[in-house]
Amino acid sequence: MAGCKVTVQSVLPRTLAATRRDVTIGNVGTVWKPALDKVWEFLRSQPGLHAGGHNVFLYHHATNRESTMQVDFGVEVTRPFARSGEIDCTETPGGEVALAVHLGPYARLRQTHDAIHAWCKDNGRTIAGKSWEIYGDWTSDETRLETTVVYLLHGSGR
């Protein structure tokens, strides 16, 4: 993707309230809202657990990008908590990551993912089986939507 800058950073884990679904990459758009609605319903019943954290989708990679994978559809929370029904406490990995900020419509997020995959190939880096998207604050102006796309790099984190 033209203008997509990939950087390497060291990140700390982010604690999430999430519900897990098995989904193919192409179907994330049809699965995320009902899953995330369940998380928000739970958070509304837990005062102080959510304090402005962002929506985060944590992908547990399959053997290839066309296979079904597990996805945690979550929201950043202030502290760990006990599982409640479908809602579990999980976290993004910590460690060295390849990161790029996607500006624009969600329908074009794959371009940023592809840019990170290409960067890894060009720089001899290997993806370590997990990636996540951190969704910025909502705006109805699609050109101003900001999503941080993060891939854990091999040899770092957990």
Side-chain angles (χ1 to χ4, degrees):
M1 175 174 135
C4 183
K5 181 179 179 189
V6 177
T7 63
V8 174
Q9 298 181 18
S10 181
V11 300
L12 296 172
R14 294 171 180 257
T15 304
L16 309 176
T19 185
R20 183 171 284 186
R21 297 289 185 267
D22 291 325
V23 63
T24 56
I25 291 174
N27 288 328
V28 169
T30 61
V31 176
W32 74 267
K33 187 170 182 344
L36 211 52
D37 284 349
K38 289 182 181 286
V39 175
W40 280 105
E41 180 181 348
F42 167 76
L43 290 174
R44 283 190 287 278
S45 73
Q46 304 293 314
L49 190 56
H50 176 259
H54 294 284
N55 293 337
V56 177
F57 298 176
L58 173 59
Y59 300 94
H60 305 270
H61 297 185
T63 54
N64 64 62
R65 292 177 80 187
E66 289 73 41
S67 295
T68 298
M69 70 175 135
Q70 293 182 323
V71 180
D72 294 325
F73 295 98
V75 177
E76 292 176 298
V77 293
T78 58
R79 66 183 181 279
F81 61 92
R83 182 180 178 92
S84 177
E86 285 187 64
I87 310 304
D88 204 1
C89 184
T90 190
E91 61 183 23
T92 60
E96 189 177 41
V97 301
L99 179 148
V101 176
H102 173 85
L103 293 173
Y106 298 141
R108 294 191 187 143
L109 267 170
R110 180 151 186 159
Q111 294 173 348
T112 302
H113 285 271
D114 289 345
I116 293 174
H117 279 263
W119 180 92
C120 286
K121 182 178 179 186
D122 292 347
N123 289 276
R125 301 302 303 263
T126 305
I127 294 167
K130 292 189 189 291
S131 64
W132 54 102
E133 298 163 342
I134 305 164
Y135 290 84
D137 295 332
W138 170 252
T139 174
S140 58
D141 180 354
E142 284 193 340
T143 65
R144 297 180 61 215
L145 291 171
E146 184 174 305
T147 309
T148 303
V149 180
V150 185
Y151 277 78
L152 185 66
L153 295 173
H154 185 67
S156 67
R158 49 190 166 90

